[in-house]
Amino acid sequence: MGIKKTLGLGVASAALGLSLIGGGTFAYFSDTAQSTATFAAGTLDLNSDPSVIVNIANLKPGDTVLRSFKLKNDGSLDIGSIILNTTTQITDAKGDNYLDLAEFIKVKFLRNNDKGIPVVAPEDVVYETTLAALKSQHPDLVKNTGWDQLFTEASGIKAGTNDSFSVQFEFVENNQDQNIFQGDSLTLTWDFVAKQTAGSAK
């Protein structure tokens, strides 16, 4: 009887061992693939040439000043719009101003020469306004709004290109006593704010 009990225990132990081994030897096929993504942002780099558009002394009422400048896109992204912001700072030499000198400096025109047809259909971004009034206006300098859009450049400035501009200022003569402005000066600052084109599917 003792032998039978011993053999029975041995068989049970052997069966348990086989069960454990069978459960640990299950095999399967596998494969792994990997991909990576890189997102690099482009740049907007707008420059004005020259940086000082007008620097003239000894102006008198009735004088006009014609100047030209370029806005250059030196970045890697196309520029969709360029918004003009105007600020002025006046130095009152005698402290007697009761009128705003910015009301007497007129922008006769600010013209984008690349968006229109010269002489025939110039693209006047600003036409006949004072610096005082322009401070509350924020025109887009590179928008093509004329009827000639099919024959001229599209709005914006493509990367690596530029738009050229002409601007004429006038010190307005009002046929009245303007002696309060003698010796005064006005500093005009134009900030050109470039904005990207609309996003697109890649």
Short mmCIF file of all heavy atoms in Angstrom, two decimals, residues 73-101:
data_model
loop_
_atom_site.label_atom_id
_atom_site.label_comp_id
_atom_site.label_asym_id
_atom_site.label_seq_id
_atom_site.Cartn_x
_atom_site.Cartn_y
_atom_site.Cartn_z
N ASN A 73 10.67 91.21 -48.13
CA ASN A 73 10.38 89.98 -47.40
C ASN A 73 11.61 89.09 -47.43
O ASN A 73 11.84 88.37 -48.39
CB ASN A 73 9.17 89.26 -48.02
CG ASN A 73 8.80 88.01 -47.25
OD1 ASN A 73 9.46 87.64 -46.28
ND2 ASN A 73 7.75 87.33 -47.68
N ASP A 74 12.42 89.16 -46.38
CA ASP A 74 13.64 88.37 -46.29
C ASP A 74 13.43 87.07 -45.52
O ASP A 74 14.40 86.38 -45.18
CB ASP A 74 14.75 89.18 -45.61
CG ASP A 74 15.20 90.35 -46.47
OD1 ASP A 74 15.17 90.23 -47.70
OD2 ASP A 74 15.58 91.41 -45.91
N GLY A 75 12.18 86.71 -45.25
CA GLY A 75 11.89 85.48 -44.52
C GLY A 75 11.67 84.30 -45.45
O GLY A 75 11.85 84.39 -46.67
N SER A 76 11.25 83.19 -44.86
CA SER A 76 11.01 81.97 -45.64
C SER A 76 9.54 81.75 -45.95
O SER A 76 9.18 80.85 -46.70
CB SER A 76 11.55 80.75 -44.87
OG SER A 76 10.86 80.57 -43.64
N LEU A 77 8.67 82.57 -45.37
CA LEU A 77 7.23 82.45 -45.59
C LEU A 77 6.72 83.65 -46.38
O LEU A 77 7.23 84.76 -46.25
CB LEU A 77 6.48 82.40 -44.25
CG LEU A 77 6.77 81.22 -43.32
CD1 LEU A 77 6.04 81.42 -42.00
CD2 LEU A 77 6.38 79.91 -43.97
N ASP A 78 5.69 83.42 -47.20
CA ASP A 78 5.04 84.51 -47.90
C ASP A 78 4.31 85.40 -46.90
O ASP A 78 3.76 84.92 -45.90
CB ASP A 78 4.04 83.98 -48.93
CG ASP A 78 4.72 83.25 -50.08
OD1 ASP A 78 5.94 83.40 -50.24
OD2 ASP A 78 4.02 82.52 -50.81
N ILE A 79 4.31 86.70 -47.17
CA ILE A 79 3.57 87.66 -46.35
C ILE A 79 2.21 87.90 -46.99
O ILE A 79 2.12 88.19 -48.19
CB ILE A 79 4.35 88.98 -46.21
CG1 ILE A 79 5.61 88.77 -45.36
CG2 ILE A 79 3.48 90.07 -45.61
CD1 ILE A 79 6.52 89.98 -45.29
N GLY A 80 1.16 87.76 -46.19
CA GLY A 80 -0.18 87.95 -46.73
C GLY A 80 -0.65 89.39 -46.69
O GLY A 80 -1.38 89.84 -47.58
N SER A 81 -0.25 90.13 -45.64
CA SER A 81 -0.66 91.51 -45.51
C SER A 81 0.37 92.27 -44.69
O SER A 81 1.11 91.67 -43.90
CB SER A 81 -2.05 91.62 -44.85
OG SER A 81 -2.00 91.10 -43.53
N ILE A 82 0.43 93.58 -44.90
CA ILE A 82 1.29 94.46 -44.11
C ILE A 82 0.44 95.64 -43.68
O ILE A 82 0.02 96.46 -44.50
CB ILE A 82 2.51 94.94 -44.90
CG1 ILE A 82 3.39 93.75 -45.31
CG2 ILE A 82 3.33 95.93 -44.06
CD1 ILE A 82 4.60 94.15 -46.14
N ILE A 83 0.18 95.71 -42.38
CA ILE A 83 -0.68 96.77 -41.84
C ILE A 83 0.20 97.95 -41.42
O ILE A 83 1.22 97.78 -40.75
CB ILE A 83 -1.48 96.25 -40.64
CG1 ILE A 83 -2.29 95.01 -41.04
CG2 ILE A 83 -2.39 97.34 -40.10
CD1 ILE A 83 -3.22 95.21 -42.21
N LEU A 84 -0.21 99.15 -41.82
CA LEU A 84 0.51 100.37 -41.50
C LEU A 84 -0.07 101.01 -40.24
O LEU A 84 -1.25 101.33 -40.18
CB LEU A 84 0.43 101.36 -42.66
CG LEU A 84 1.05 102.74 -42.43
CD1 LEU A 84 2.55 102.63 -42.23
CD2 LEU A 84 0.73 103.68 -43.59
N ASN A 85 0.78 101.19 -39.23
CA ASN A 85 0.41 101.93 -38.02
C ASN A 85 1.22 103.22 -37.95
O ASN A 85 2.43 103.19 -38.15
CB ASN A 85 0.67 101.08 -36.78
CG ASN A 85 -0.23 99.86 -36.70
OD1 ASN A 85 -1.38 99.89 -37.15
ND2 ASN A 85 0.28 98.77 -36.14
N THR A 86 0.55 104.32 -37.67
CA THR A 86 1.17 105.65 -37.70
C THR A 86 1.17 106.28 -36.32
O THR A 86 0.13 106.31 -35.64
CB THR A 86 0.40 106.56 -38.68
OG1 THR A 86 0.43 106.00 -39.99
CG2 THR A 86 1.02 107.95 -38.71
N THR A 87 2.32 106.79 -35.91
CA THR A 87 2.40 107.60 -34.70
C THR A 87 3.22 108.84 -35.01
O THR A 87 4.09 108.83 -35.89
CB THR A 87 3.06 106.84 -33.52
OG1 THR A 87 4.36 106.39 -33.93
CG2 THR A 87 2.23 105.64 -33.11
N THR A 88 2.94 109.92 -34.30
CA THR A 88 3.69 111.17 -34.49
C THR A 88 4.09 111.72 -33.13
O THR A 88 3.39 111.52 -32.13
CB THR A 88 2.85 112.23 -35.23
OG1 THR A 88 1.67 112.52 -34.48
CG2 THR A 88 2.47 111.76 -36.63
N GLN A 89 5.23 112.41 -33.12
CA GLN A 89 5.69 113.10 -31.93
C GLN A 89 6.11 114.51 -32.34
O GLN A 89 6.95 114.67 -33.22
CB GLN A 89 6.85 112.36 -31.27
CG GLN A 89 7.35 113.01 -29.99
CD GLN A 89 8.44 112.21 -29.32
OE1 GLN A 89 8.75 111.10 -29.72
NE2 GLN A 89 9.05 112.79 -28.30
N ILE A 90 5.54 115.51 -31.69
CA ILE A 90 5.77 116.90 -32.08
C ILE A 90 6.60 117.61 -31.01
O ILE A 90 6.34 117.48 -29.82
CB ILE A 90 4.44 117.63 -32.29
CG1 ILE A 90 3.67 117.00 -33.46
CG2 ILE A 90 4.67 119.12 -32.55
CD1 ILE A 90 2.25 117.50 -33.61
N THR A 91 7.60 118.33 -31.48
CA THR A 91 8.38 119.20 -30.60
C THR A 91 7.95 120.64 -30.85
O THR A 91 8.15 121.18 -31.94
CB THR A 91 9.89 119.04 -30.88
OG1 THR A 91 10.27 117.68 -30.65
CG2 THR A 91 10.70 119.95 -29.96
N ASP A 92 7.33 121.24 -29.84
CA ASP A 92 6.84 122.61 -29.93
C ASP A 92 7.94 123.54 -29.43
O ASP A 92 8.16 123.69 -28.22
CB ASP A 92 5.57 122.74 -29.08
CG ASP A 92 4.95 124.13 -29.14
OD1 ASP A 92 5.51 125.00 -29.86
OD2 ASP A 92 3.95 124.35 -28.44
N ALA A 93 8.64 124.18 -30.36
CA ALA A 93 9.84 124.95 -30.02
C ALA A 93 9.55 126.09 -29.05
O ALA A 93 10.33 126.34 -28.13
CB ALA A 93 10.47 125.51 -31.30
N LYS A 94 8.43 126.78 -29.23
CA LYS A 94 8.14 127.95 -28.40
C LYS A 94 7.03 127.68 -27.37
O LYS A 94 6.67 128.57 -26.61
CB LYS A 94 7.75 129.14 -29.29
CG LYS A 94 8.85 129.57 -30.25
CD LYS A 94 8.51 130.84 -30.98
CE LYS A 94 7.35 130.67 -31.94
NZ LYS A 94 7.68 129.81 -33.09
N GLY A 95 6.50 126.47 -27.38
CA GLY A 95 5.44 126.13 -26.44
C GLY A 95 4.16 126.90 -26.65
O GLY A 95 3.41 127.13 -25.70
N ASP A 96 3.89 127.30 -27.92
CA ASP A 96 2.72 128.13 -28.18
C ASP A 96 1.70 127.46 -29.12
O ASP A 96 0.81 128.13 -29.64
CB ASP A 96 3.16 129.47 -28.80
CG ASP A 96 3.93 129.28 -30.11
OD1 ASP A 96 4.28 128.11 -30.43
OD2 ASP A 96 4.19 130.28 -30.80
N ASN A 97 1.84 126.17 -29.33
CA ASN A 97 0.94 125.51 -30.28
C ASN A 97 -0.46 125.32 -29.69
O ASN A 97 -0.63 124.71 -28.63
CB ASN A 97 1.49 124.13 -30.67
CG ASN A 97 2.64 124.22 -31.65
OD1 ASN A 97 3.10 125.31 -31.97
ND2 ASN A 97 3.10 123.08 -32.14
N TYR A 98 -1.45 125.85 -30.37
CA TYR A 98 -2.84 125.57 -30.04
C TYR A 98 -3.49 124.76 -31.16
O TYR A 98 -4.68 124.42 -31.09
CB TYR A 98 -3.62 126.87 -29.79
CG TYR A 98 -3.59 127.84 -30.95
CD1 TYR A 98 -4.53 127.78 -31.97
CD2 TYR A 98 -2.61 128.83 -31.01
CE1 TYR A 98 -4.50 128.68 -33.02
CE2 TYR A 98 -2.57 129.74 -32.07
CZ TYR A 98 -3.51 129.65 -33.07
OH TYR A 98 -3.48 130.54 -34.11
N LEU A 99 -2.67 124.44 -32.18
CA LEU A 99 -3.09 123.57 -33.27
C LEU A 99 -2.11 122.40 -33.36
O LEU A 99 -0.96 122.51 -32.93
CB LEU A 99 -3.11 124.33 -34.61
CG LEU A 99 -4.10 125.50 -34.73
CD1 LEU A 99 -3.85 126.24 -36.04
CD2 LEU A 99 -5.53 125.00 -34.66
N ASP A 100 -2.59 121.29 -33.92
CA ASP A 100 -1.77 120.08 -34.06
C ASP A 100 -1.04 120.13 -35.40
O ASP A 100 -1.67 120.15 -36.46
CB ASP A 100 -2.68 118.85 -33.98
CG ASP A 100 -1.90 117.54 -34.05
OD1 ASP A 100 -0.66 117.58 -34.16
OD2 ASP A 100 -2.55 116.48 -34.00
N LEU A 101 0.29 120.17 -35.35
CA LEU A 101 1.07 120.20 -36.59
C LEU A 101 0.75 119.01 -37.49
O LEU A 101 0.82 119.11 -38.72
CB LEU A 101 2.57 120.23 -36.26
CG LEU A 101 3.55 120.25 -37.43
CD1 LEU A 101 3.27 121.43 -38.37
CD2 LEU A 101 4.99 120.30 -36.92
#
